[in-house]
């Protein structure tokens, strides 16, 4: 019976160490993500890294890529609310094959090709949709 208790204690000790290590790794990852977002960048969950070359990142659409020039411009004014002009967002949106709503001035980041010419309102579609 004593042998059973010793083995149980060892197994529980090992499990406790594994759980603590897992919790530590998750906390470290959470701090990395938080620092990334605090620096006005985006966290790429697919690649597990902080990025400054994406306007936005989402699980359903990935990275909305920026050109090196756009990346530089945004880095200079990243904390300003009016850093990006509507025209710049429109250009980035369409280049990334997303639809842009001309009246609300919003990009539909989760746009899929099957939505070409099917959205209601005043939309500009990416070139892949054709005319």
């Amino acid at each position: 019976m004593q042998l059973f208790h010793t083995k149980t204690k060892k197994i529980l000790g090992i499990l406790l160490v594994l759980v603590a290590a897992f919790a530590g790794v998750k906390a470290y990852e959470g701090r990395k993500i938080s620092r990334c977002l605090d620096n006005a960048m985006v966290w790429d969950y697919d690649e597990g890294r902080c990025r400054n070359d994406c306007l936005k990142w989402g699980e359903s659409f990935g990275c909305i890529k920026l050109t090196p020039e756009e990346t530089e411009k945004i880095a200079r004014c990243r904390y300003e609310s009016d850093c990006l002009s509507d025209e710049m967002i429109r250009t980035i949106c369409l280049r990334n094959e997303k639809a842009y709503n001309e009246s609300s001035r919003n990009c539909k980041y989760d746009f899929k090709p099957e939505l070409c010419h099917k959205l209601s309102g005043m939309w500009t579609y990416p070139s892949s949709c054709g005319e």
Side-chain angles (χ1 to χ4, degrees):
M1 190 66 149
Q2 182 67 18
L3 181 65
F4 175 74
H5 287 307
T6 304
K7 282 186 176 181
T8 303
K9 286 181 182 179
K10 284 183 181 179
I11 290 171
L12 287 175
I14 290 169
L15 285 174
L16 182 61
V17 167
L18 290 174
V19 167
F22 179 76
V25 166
K26 285 298 186 187
Y28 174 72
E29 184 176 290
R31 283 192 303 275
K32 283 190 335 186
I33 294 169
S34 182
R35 277 194 309 271
C36 176
L37 300 177
D38 287 347
N39 288 320
M41 292 188 268
V42 297
W43 185 261
D44 185 326
Y45 286 88
D46 286 344
E47 296 183 13
R49 67 182 178 109
C50 188
R51 298 182 71 160
N52 68 346
D53 64 337
C54 301
L55 176 64
K56 189 171 183 72
W57 189 93
E59 188 175 337
S60 64
F61 54 82
C63 172
I64 302 298
K65 289 288 284 174
L66 299 169
T67 65
E69 296 80 20
E70 291 163 344
T71 300
E72 189 176 310
K73 177 181 175 18
I74 291 170
R76 287 193 305 266
C77 65
R78 199 167 276 279
Y79 298 102
E80 298 171 22
S81 60
D82 60 348
C83 178
L84 297 171
S85 68
D86 290 336
E87 188 55 38
M88 191 173 174
I89 292 172
R90 182 182 190 278
T91 299
I92 294 166
C93 182
L94 295 171
R95 187 182 59 248
N96 280 273
E97 297 298 313
K98 306 303 177 187
Y100 183 79
N101 188 294
E102 298 292 345
S103 55
S104 69
R105 297 182 176 169
N106 289 316
C107 183
K108 184 163 181 59
Y109 297 113
D110 60 350
F111 179 78
K112 301 276 190 239
E114 55 269 14
L115 296 174
C116 284
H117 306 291
K118 293 182 181 173
L119 300 173
S120 61
M122 296 178 55
W123 291 91
T124 299
Y125 292 96
S127 58
S128 60
C129 285
E131 290 301 319

